[in-house]
Amino acid sequence: NMTKGLGVFVKGGKVMLLYLSDKQKKPELKLVKSKDGINFQPTLRKPVLVKTAGIMENLKKCSDFHSYKTSGHFVLNYALVSGKKKISYQAVSANLIKWKKIKKPLEHKKGEIEVVDYSHKRQKVKYASRDGKIYIGFSKKDSKYEMSPDPLLTPRRNHFDSNGLEISEVIIGRHGILLVYHATEKRKNKNIYAFGLAIFDKHDPQKLIWRSEYPAWEQPEDWDKEDAYFIGLVEFKGNI
């Protein structure tokens, strides 16, 4: 029974974890809840991803999931294999149970995150990982994003993030825009993940205020499981 985490949310004072279960090659969505973020129990209702009325999305062809919460609903971005291409789509939900696919494909690609419920000089903002570096992009209304020619964050020699950087999450905080990224290092034929943090100015999202000198979390080397991967990040009872 293979499982893949898709997203983590906070709803009704509980941490909610959405994942994909591929039991006997029949993938289906599952949702579990927790009062402490550690011990989880299944919800009574099973989540579904609705393609159109009465028709479910083909989960076997879905990948590259990224989830987040806006002021109005929960959002799940994903890529759908169509022939030899991957096309990005978005699904929304009010209750984490019924997910409704939006027909119009997304401009976003893997490694790109739009800053939710935020604009700068009437422009939407997103951060993106490209070639191991992190860039920023701006968009007026529904126009295409124009990406910055120069990166905001690059690998640092002799640091935990000396290899390529991949963006993990972006959160608006009281003191700025928190960008969470991860870097990997090959040790004993295994990818070891380390997470870094950077804070950008809310009044100027290109201006770096602070960047962590040490990893916020690093995967233990003695893990004998498969490589770790990022599922999501939430603030819960004063902790992240």
Side-chain angles (χ1 to χ4, degrees):
N1 186 10
M2 299 296 292
T3 60
K4 179 177 178 61
L6 305 185
V8 60
F9 312 88
V10 172
K11 180 177 180 291
K14 296 182 177 64
V15 177
M16 313 293 288
L17 177 63
L18 180 71
Y19 68 94
L20 185 67
S21 174
D22 193 8
K23 188 175 183 180
Q24 297 178 347
K25 297 184 179 181
K26 294 181 179 179
E28 59 180 358
L29 296 178
K30 297 287 184 71
L31 185 67
V32 290
K33 58 185 178 181
S34 171
K35 294 181 179 180
D36 57 11
I38 300 173
N39 302 290
F40 286 86
Q41 294 181 334
T43 57
L44 296 177
R45 299 171 64 191
K46 185 175 73 173
V48 292
L49 177 51
V50 180
K51 180 179 179 181
T52 57
I55 302 177
M56 302 298 126
E57 183 67 280
N58 186 352
L59 296 175
K60 290 183 179 180
K61 295 185 176 182
C62 297
S63 64
D64 302 343
F65 294 90
H66 175 251
S67 63
Y68 57 92
K69 182 181 179 181
T70 71
S71 56
H73 47 249
F74 302 98
V75 180
L76 183 65
N77 293 345
Y78 62 97
L80 184 68
V81 176
S82 178
K84 295 182 179 180
K85 299 190 300 182
K86 279 186 177 182
I87 303 175
S88 297
Y89 286 97
Q90 188 173 87
V92 296
S93 175
N95 57 8
L96 296 176
I97 299 298
K98 184 177 181 180
W99 294 87
K100 185 177 180 181
K101 177 183 179 180
I102 296 175
K103 294 182 180 180
K104 184 180 179 181
L106 285 175
E107 180 193 338
H108 300 308
K109 300 176 183 178
K110 183 180 180 182
E112 300 181 350
I113 298 180
E114 186 175 288
V115 186
V116 179
D117 298 331
Y118 172 82
S119 65
H120 175 66
K121 295 182 179 179
R122 298 184 179 180
Q123 297 180 100
K124 294 187 293 184
V125 178
K126 76 174 176 182
Y127 295 92
S129 308
R130 294 185 178 178
D131 300 322
K133 303 172 184 178
I134 294 178
Y135 296 79
I136 192 171
F138 298 92
S139 171
K140 294 181 179 179
K141 294 184 178 180
D142 294 326
S143 61
K144 288 187 176 182
Y145 273 92
E146 294 185 9
M147 304 304 298
S148 61
D150 300 317
L152 302 182
L153 298 178
T154 60
R156 296 178 293 185
R157 192 175 180 181
N158 298 324
H159 280 68
F160 71 93
D161 51 7
S162 60
N163 294 320
L165 311 180
E166 293 288 338
I167 191 168
S168 302
E169 192 62 273
V170 178
I171 296 176
I172 295 290
R174 284 180 294 178
H175 303 294
I177 301 172
L178 173 64
L179 188 148
V180 184
Y181 64 91
H182 63 268
T184 58
E185 182 181 352
K186 205 75 172 180
R187 301 180 196 168
K188 299 178 182 178
N189 295 320
K190 182 185 296 185
N191 286 326
I192 301 296
Y193 281 74
F195 286 89
L197 306 175
I199 296 178
F200 291 89
D201 192 335
K202 282 198 289 189
H203 303 291
D204 181 1
Q206 300 182 86
K207 181 181 178 181
L208 179 64
I209 297 176
W210 173 83
R211 184 176 178 181
S212 57
E213 287 292 320
Y214 303 97
W217 180 84
E218 188 175 45
Q219 177 186 340
E221 287 191 49
D222 59 357
W223 274 12
D224 58 357
K225 305 296 182 182
E226 296 180 7
D227 291 340
Y229 63 92
F230 183 79
I231 297 175
L233 181 150
V234 292
E235 184 177 353
F236 183 67
K237 296 183 177 179
N239 295 308
I240 290 186

